[in-house]
Amino acid sequence: MTLEERLLIEQQCARLVALYANLNDAARWEEVAALYAEDGRMARPTAPDDWIEGREAILAAFTARPPRTTRHFCSNIVIDVLSEDEAVGESAMLLFTVDNASKAGSFHDRFVRTGEGWRFAERRGSLTF
């Protein structure tokens, strides 16, 4: 793999992290769920050991939540390319809500290249405070 190919994968995976935050804040749940591989899984920062598996189940989990106003900030994004079709990453997350229930934490991600492009195979959040 060339340096350019590695950098492109890093950029595409980092874009998924940012896009996830923006779509989440806009409550565009179908688009959020589409960022996952069909068999992808996620664990929210508030329940890091409670996995939700499969794109349809992820969509159902998001649509079941009561409406809220949020703003996610993601930073310190580091992507490690494992192969032409797999990467892992970590990012810091800061969440602001309209009710001042701010939270800070991180996401640990596993990315896979699919026929649709790069997607989350696994997204696990955790809270620091």
Side-chain angles (χ1 to χ4, degrees):
M1 171 181 324
T2 68
L3 174 62
E4 290 79 16
E5 290 169 331
R6 180 175 300 279
L7 292 173
L8 181 58
I9 292 169
E10 290 174 5
Q11 189 276 330
Q12 291 171 330
C13 292
R15 184 179 188 280
L16 276 180
V17 171
L19 187 56
Y20 183 94
N22 291 342
L23 293 172
N24 191 331
D25 291 335
R28 292 165 55 180
W29 306 130
E30 289 181 10
E31 292 170 82
V32 171
L35 297 178
Y36 285 87
E38 283 290 338
D39 61 348
R41 66 187 201 150
M42 68 169 252
R44 289 189 169 119
T46 54
D49 296 318
D50 185 15
W51 291 101
I52 301 166
E53 301 197 28
R55 191 183 280 174
E56 291 301 316
I58 290 168
L59 175 58
F62 276 110
T63 58
R65 288 172 31 171
R68 63 185 188 156
T69 301
T70 63
R71 189 64 179 154
H72 292 78
F73 292 90
C74 297
S75 67
N76 304 354
I77 301 169
V78 176
I79 307 296
D80 292 312
V81 178
L82 303 178
S83 72
E84 292 178 355
D85 296 315
E86 190 175 11
V88 294
E90 182 177 354
S91 59
M93 177 272 304
L94 184 58
L95 169 64
F96 292 98
T97 62
V98 73
D99 62 0
N100 293 321
S102 300
K103 295 175 176 58
S106 61
F107 281 100
H108 290 82
D109 300 313
R110 192 167 51 86
F111 305 94
V112 292
R113 187 191 316 252
T114 71
E116 301 169 292
W118 284 93
R119 296 291 184 263
F120 291 106
E122 186 173 285
R123 178 147 243 242
R124 183 180 194 190
S126 61
L127 291 177
T128 307
F129 59 88

